[in-house]
Amino acid sequence: MRSRGKSLKAKDGKLPFCAMGVSSVIHPKNPHVPTMHFNYRYFEIEEADGTKQWWFGGGTDLTPTYLNEEDAIHFHKTLKEACDKHDLKLYPKYKKWCDDYFYIKHRGERRGIGGIFFDDVDSPSKEEVFQFVKSCAKAVVPCYVPIVKRHCHDSFTPEEKLWQQLRRGRYVEFNLVYDRGTKFGLLTPGSRIESILMSLPLTARWEYMHTPPESSREAEILEVLRNPKDWVH
């Protein structure tokens, strides 16, 4: 937290904190139904002099195996509507933050097609930020469930299933190498390791130097992951 610019005064090396949140990851079996992740959380720190610092964080993002523009537009528009209820500046700011955060640096690509992400939000007031976070949380079902219903009965080939497994390998790479939540959980004394690693898919795959054919649907999703799009304009 200090590495993000927070000034936190400990007493005798101790810094009492309270952390709470809700987190969910869905990894569907069908490669035409995208993976979805959301997490909304609240932190409170008590400093040496008894003063408290608080902030909210979280976000919702989508990781499809294959690109479906209709799904991407629906997902982002629903999140934008939730943000716009509070401030028109929030969606573009948090959309970019999401694209920047879920970036697999060693691959030069994003984990998925984004959504919204924010952290350290402590203004204008606790109640106003809480109302915003609740709006975001309430948008999870309408932004994702229609996509599931649209594709849950789609047929798929062994080759499409293989590509899904390769993409899930990328998901694992991001979560184990870069994700702050995973690192925070693993460094927290007495934490439940299985809960921290719950974001990982049941199965994943790696292939050495795998590159999909040009102009394929696999190459299409890679292009978007390397160059994020504006889905709502």
Side-chain angles (χ1 to χ4, degrees):
M1 294 171 185
R2 290 191 177 103
S3 70
R4 302 203 305 270
K6 288 196 170 295
S7 175
L8 303 171
K9 308 179 195 70
K11 182 178 181 179
D12 299 326
K14 296 181 179 180
L15 195 62
F17 73 91
C18 171
M20 61 191 74
V22 56
S23 181
S24 178
V25 182
I26 298 175
H27 290 295
K29 291 183 178 180
N30 191 317
H32 298 297
V33 182
T35 286
M36 191 274 297
H37 155 260
F38 77 90
N39 166 258
Y40 292 101
R41 55 193 179 272
Y42 171 78
F43 276 86
E44 192 172 275
I45 298 283
E46 183 176 338
E47 298 187 272
D49 59 3
T51 60
K52 292 184 179 180
Q53 287 197 46
W54 61 267
W55 63 91
F56 287 89
T60 305
D61 64 280
L62 196 70
T63 306
T65 300
Y66 289 96
L67 181 64
N68 181 298
E69 292 207 358
E70 182 182 354
D71 294 344
I73 292 169
H74 165 78
F75 184 81
H76 277 270
K77 278 191 171 180
T78 307
L79 293 178
K80 181 179 184 299
E81 289 168 4
C83 293
D84 286 354
K85 293 176 184 176
H86 301 269
D87 189 331
L88 296 179
K89 297 177 183 177
L90 295 179
Y91 170 77
K93 177 182 178 181
Y94 294 158
K95 191 268 186 191
K96 183 181 185 304
W97 200 337
C98 188
D99 289 335
D100 292 343
Y101 178 76
F102 291 105
Y103 182 57
I104 308 173
K105 296 177 184 177
H106 59 273
R107 297 287 186 183
E109 61 192 46
R110 276 77 191 165
R111 191 177 75 176
I113 62 166
I116 57 173
F117 178 86
F118 55 90
D119 209 351
D120 302 321
V121 178
D122 56 6
S123 65
S125 71
K126 185 182 293 188
E127 184 56 34
E128 287 177 276
V129 181
F130 185 40
Q131 292 302 322
F132 164 67
V133 169
K134 286 199 288 185
S135 293
C136 293
K138 289 177 181 178
V140 168
V141 169
C143 79
Y144 182 61
V145 171
I147 297 174
V148 176
K149 289 182 177 179
R150 194 178 298 141
H151 299 292
C152 63
H153 298 299
D154 288 1
S155 61
F156 56 89
T157 66
E159 290 76 20
E160 289 170 334
K161 187 66 179 177
L162 170 62
W163 178 244
Q164 180 198 52
Q165 295 299 290
L166 291 171
R167 295 313 310 164
R168 291 197 171 163
R170 297 286 201 271
Y171 203 96
V172 171
E173 286 181 28
F174 175 84
N175 283 33
L176 294 183
V177 177
Y178 298 114
D179 186 65
R180 282 211 308 258
T182 302
K183 291 181 179 179
F184 175 81
L186 295 175
L187 290 171
T188 302
S191 58
R192 188 185 300 122
I193 302 301
E194 304 302 333
S195 294
I196 297 163
L197 299 179
M198 54 73 67
S199 64
L200 301 182
L202 182 64
T203 58
R205 184 180 175 114
W206 288 263
E207 286 194 9
Y208 186 76
M209 301 295 286
H210 181 274
T211 303
E214 289 186 21
S215 303
S216 64
R217 292 199 66 206
E218 291 78 10
E220 178 186 36
I221 186 71
L222 279 181
E223 174 61 26
V224 173
L225 300 180
R226 290 166 180 161
N227 302 287
K229 289 183 63 173
D230 178 352
W231 297 103
V232 298
H233 298 101

